[in-house]
Amino acid sequence: MSSTAEDGLRILVCVKRVPAPGARIALTADRNDIDTRNLGFTTSPHEECAVEEAIRLVEHHGGSSTVMTVGPPEADEQLRYALSVGAGGAVLVTTEGTDPDAQATAKVLVAAIEALEADGGPFDLILFGNESADAGGFQVGIRTARALGRPVVNGIKAIEVAEGRVVARRESPEGYEVYRLDLPAVLGVKEGLNLPRYPTLPGRLRSKKADVPRQPALVVAGGLATLDFRLPSEQVTETTVLGDGPDAAAAVADLLQELGLL
Amino acid sequence: MVALIEHDRGVAPDTSFQALTFARSVAEQLGTAVEAVIIGEEAQPLATEAASRGAIKTWLVRHPELTDYGPEAWGDAMAQVTTASGAAAVVAVGTDRGNEVLAHAAAIDDLPFAANVVGVEVAAGPWALERVRWGGSLLERSTLDAPVKVLSVPPHAVPAAEPGNGELGTVEDFAPELDDQAARTRIVERVPAAAGSSLAGAAVVVSGGRGVGSAEGFAALEELAGLLGGAVGCSRVVTNNGWRPHSDQVGQTGKRIAPELYIACGISGAIQHWVGMMAAKRVLAINIDRDAPMVTKADYAVIGDLHTILPAVVSEVRRRKEGATVGGDG
Ligand SMILES: Cc1cc2nc3c(=O)[nH]c(=O)nc-3n(C[C@H](O)[C@H](O)[C@H](O)COP(=O)(O)OP(=O)(O)OC[C@H]3O[C@@H](n4cnc5c(N)ncnc54)[C@H](O)[C@@H]3O)c2cc1C
Ligand SMILES: Nc1ncnc2c1ncn2[C@@H]1O[C@H](COP(=O)(O)O)[C@@H](O)[C@H]1O
């Protein structure tokens, strides 16, 4: 039974810790990984919007939001960020060594979700990002939903919950498409769904003290295995400096005319 | 070898027949032919077209639950037709729908799915793949070990298959078995966009980043875009600050555009932004920092404060346009 009407919505959000490269990606010497020594970490913007949406839905309907990740112990940082903006709870399923593939990740998530649901009842809504920022597999949410036997639609940019159902919109070339799913349901969302809030000072303090339980993942590798990485060949561009400051306006207008744009 | 031909109630996006081209590059290594899969109603003309573009056989998949797009039903149908065809591999173009349908089809049979593949080396054992990550700024080399290989190719990575003058392929109807649950995620309504952003097709995009400083600061960009018949774009910092709507965002989690000219005002050039506009023919960077990655990667640059440069450019462009109307040929 879904708990929608009386006790609000029980929502789970799945996020992934990824490095945040700037102007270019640097690889490790063996090219097996991104060189993260000088990088911060984050989650995909899609997933930040998923967290924000869960918080808003709970603010509106009551209930609870939980954030979960499968990752290294350091992924604690991304979960605490989600807590600092208002997520209710967090679960870290720890892995060792290389990033599990999509099949393995989905299986770990399914096991963890089933365990959480055995204790606390089913999640009305499970939110994923449309795709992870780094692996870009476009599939972990779909695999997880299939395994749980729940309806799932990816690419969602607007969500409304009412009367045990979720109405979700996705962009199309002409406008948008509307999907209507009975709860419990799963959605993969895209940035633009909302404007995520920033953490508040009390939020940060709360998130520092929060208990983030950890459990080890049982990883069963799937059929797609990463060997190494390569940077796409970058064509070197000779930059023509048209000038400095407002004096360059004539040169810019010349360029526009030359390109037939003026 | 089967290739999904995407369409929406009979209308094929410009990427659809790229699936056949990609499929052929794999099929040639396998020494087999390419078959097309078209799911849903109103697709008969497309089946004929697929046949003319090199599909030896086209599976026209129809069922009362497939009247309109639904990811679960489409995935079920794709998995069933793949099995029925005995294909060693199934491919689609990695659009929203292409990746979604393949992810479902792969999940049903617990097969791995490699999204956005740009290189395939077929082998007796696992295949060697190259696929894009980080929206296109990193290439991953991987091995794919599966009884049926499920792959998507990024949109526009290969050209569409041309109609040939060889023999026309055959068309075969296929009725999948779908229960009444399959279509529970079908589209229930379509809403046309209210005069949406013209960013995608604009010839000139005047785009702003953190350097613009405020929502009001975009007035100068709007003005220049208006004079050039172009559109305004922005970086993620701008949408995160609420200065512009997300529909204006260019990049990995925004839009991918390919204008004739991209004018980047106060944008540093992070890779996640760059992948959204790297298909632009030319880039003009306006930045106070001569060493900003956007400047060093651009074709043209103006160094300095965009707040003084843009008004000067606007008035010069206006002067020349007016000159052109008054004087005749500018
Ligand atoms: C997974 C992921 C996905 C992302 N997706 C996107 C995406 O889709 N799109 C996107 O844009 N970003 C994306 N980002 C964010 C990206 O990494 C950068 O943070 C962002 O692009 C930086 O925006 P910016 O260039 O406007 O700001 P900054 O990096 O702060 O650069 C501002 C620039 O303005 C210049 N400047 C400042 N003042 C002036 C002035 N007065 N005149 C002229 N120049 C001035 C500065 O020299 C600087 O170069 C993503 C990040 C991650 C991790
Ligand atoms: N390791 C992970 N832990 C938790 N959620 C994940 C993980 N990997 C992927 N996801 C979720 O699945 C979505 C799709 O991922 P992917 O299939 O890798 O593109 C992401 O946006 C996340 O919401």
Side-chain angles (χ1 to χ4, degrees):
Chain A
M1 258 306 284
S2 167
S3 55
T4 317
E6 291 85 34
D7 341 311
L9 295 167
R10 241 171 85 74
I11 306 179
L12 179 71
V13 187
C14 296
V15 303
K16 182 179 187 187
R17 172 183 168 91
V18 297
R24 41 185 54 86
I25 291 179
L27 298 178
T28 55
D30 62 8
R31 301 195 318 189
N32 281 338
D33 212 341
I34 294 180
D35 183 352
T36 55
R37 280 172 301 178
N38 299 314
L39 296 181
F41 286 81
T42 184
T43 65
S44 162
H46 298 323
E47 294 152 28
E48 281 180 16
C49 288
V51 171
E52 174 66 28
E53 195 70 12
I55 296 165
R56 289 187 191 186
L57 285 168
V58 168
E59 281 170 352
H60 191 257
H61 297 272
S64 67
S65 61
T66 307
V67 186
M68 179 153 75
T69 193
V70 177
E74 293 80 11
D76 183 78
E77 180 194 348
Q78 279 60 48
L79 295 177
R80 284 188 201 274
Y81 182 83
L83 293 172
S84 76
V85 290
V91 179
L92 173 55
V93 188
T94 55
T95 55
E96 283 165 32
T98 52
D99 199 20
D101 63 84
Q103 282 171 290
T105 303
K107 281 172 191 160
V108 170
L109 284 173
V110 169
I113 291 167
E114 282 173 345
L116 287 175
E117 293 194 332
D119 285 346
F123 290 105
D124 299 293
L125 198 55
I126 306 181
L127 299 179
F128 286 84
N130 188 65
E131 84 273 3
S132 57
D134 63 339
F138 295 83
Q139 57 189 279
V140 167
I142 291 168
R143 288 184 187 277
T144 305
R146 280 262 170 194
L148 294 170
R150 293 179 201 177
V152 56
V153 182
N154 235 16
I156 295 306
K157 278 202 161 177
I159 293 176
E160 230 174 275
V161 175
E163 292 156 17
R165 291 203 295 203
V166 57
V167 178
R169 286 178 179 188
R170 133 163 160 182
E171 277 179 355
S172 70
E174 297 82 35
Y176 54 87
E177 303 163 347
V178 182
Y179 296 86
R180 203 156 39 221
L181 283 63
D182 287 333
L183 300 179
V186 179
L187 296 173
V189 306
K190 279 191 179 177
E191 188 181 30
L193 172 69
N194 52 45
L195 194 55
R197 70 194 72 185
Y198 290 102
T200 58
L201 193 58
R204 276 187 206 280
L205 293 175
R206 210 175 337 107
S207 75
K208 275 197 186 129
K209 287 191 218 127
D211 174 38
V212 175
R214 291 185 189 187
Q215 59 192 73
L218 183 68
V219 175
V220 183
L224 182 65
T226 302
L227 291 177
D228 62 8
F229 298 106
R230 185 168 77 83
L231 295 174
S233 49
E234 208 177 281
Q235 71 192 74
V236 185
T237 311
E238 214 33 78
T239 309
T240 307
V241 177
L242 299 175
D244 289 83
D247 292 347
V252 172
D254 288 346
L255 173 67
L256 292 169
Q257 274 177 327
E258 202 183 300
L259 298 177
L261 298 167
L262 182 65
Chain B
M1 173 91 224
V2 292
L4 175 69
I5 307 298
E6 187 185 332
H7 73 101
D8 187 56
R9 298 173 300 174
V11 179
D14 60 355
T15 49
S16 288
F17 291 106
Q18 294 168 9
L20 289 179
T21 309
F22 180 63
R24 188 171 312 140
S25 71
V26 179
E28 276 166 6
Q29 297 184 53
L30 280 168
T32 127
V34 174
E35 301 178 6
V37 176
I38 303 183
I39 304 173
E41 293 304 315
E42 299 173 63
Q44 184 73 50
L46 282 179
T48 316
E49 202 176 337
S52 81
R53 288 179 192 248
I56 189 166
K57 175 175 178 177
T58 298
W59 300 79
L60 196 53
V61 184
R62 286 196 282 200
H63 189 282
E65 302 288 356
L66 296 171
T67 49
D68 204 347
Y69 179 72
E72 293 180 286
W74 250 242
D76 284 335
M78 193 69 207
Q80 289 180 35
V81 77
T82 302
T83 305
S85 72
V90 37
V91 305
V93 178
T95 57
D96 279 352
R97 285 191 186 181
N99 278 333
E100 187 174 44
V101 171
L102 289 193
H104 275 277
I108 288 164
D109 294 319
D110 197 13
L111 293 166
F113 162 42
N116 296 326
V117 173
V118 289
V120 180
E121 246 175 74
V122 167
W127 292 8
L129 302 183
E130 191 155 63
R131 54 177 293 267
V132 302
R133 283 190 173 221
W134 281 102
S137 38
L138 185 62
L139 292 164
E140 169 199 291
R141 291 196 280 211
S142 48
T143 56
L144 179 61
D145 188 2
V148 178
K149 313 292 194 290
V150 185
L151 320 165
S152 71
V153 62
H156 305 293
V158 296
E162 295 291 336
N165 41 17
E167 222 170 295
L168 213 62
T170 58
V171 177
E172 186 166 316
D173 279 310
F174 181 83
E177 279 176 33
L178 299 174
D179 61 24
D180 55 1
Q181 287 282 296
R184 63 187 171 171
T185 46
R186 187 166 37 197
I187 295 173
V188 293
E189 194 189 339
R190 289 160 191 269
V191 183
S197 140
S198 51
L199 192 52
V204 186
V205 172
V206 186
S207 199
R210 193 197 303 274
V212 176
S214 65
E216 298 71 42
F218 274 86
L221 285 81
E222 291 272 13
E223 204 176 352
L224 182 57
L227 284 168
L228 300 174
V232 170
C234 71
S235 75
R236 179 166 179 248
V237 165
V238 168
T239 45
N240 265 1
N241 282 331
W243 301 343
R244 303 289 298 182
H246 184 266
S247 52
D248 285 356
Q249 184 178 315
V250 172
Q252 184 176 341
T253 50
K255 291 207 163 63
R256 289 169 182 245
I257 54 173
E260 292 293 313
L261 179 65
Y262 188 75
I263 307 180
C265 312
I267 301 176
S268 64
I271 51 162
Q272 301 90 359
H273 185 81
W274 185 259
V275 294
M277 40 62 69
M278 64 185 177
K281 284 246 175 59
R282 290 186 175 77
V283 178
L284 163 62
I286 301 178
N287 203 301
I288 36 167
D289 178 6
R290 202 175 284 271
D291 299 320
M294 184 60 88
V295 173
T296 59
K297 287 164 122 183
D299 302 283
Y300 308 97
V302 175
I303 309 302
D305 184 353
L306 67 91
H307 296 104
T308 59
I309 294 166
L310 281 177
V313 171
V314 163
S315 68
E316 179 64 17
V317 166
R318 198 181 291 280
R319 196 181 63 79
R320 293 196 193 189
K321 282 190 87 161
E322 279 162 9
T325 354
V326 177
D329 65 10

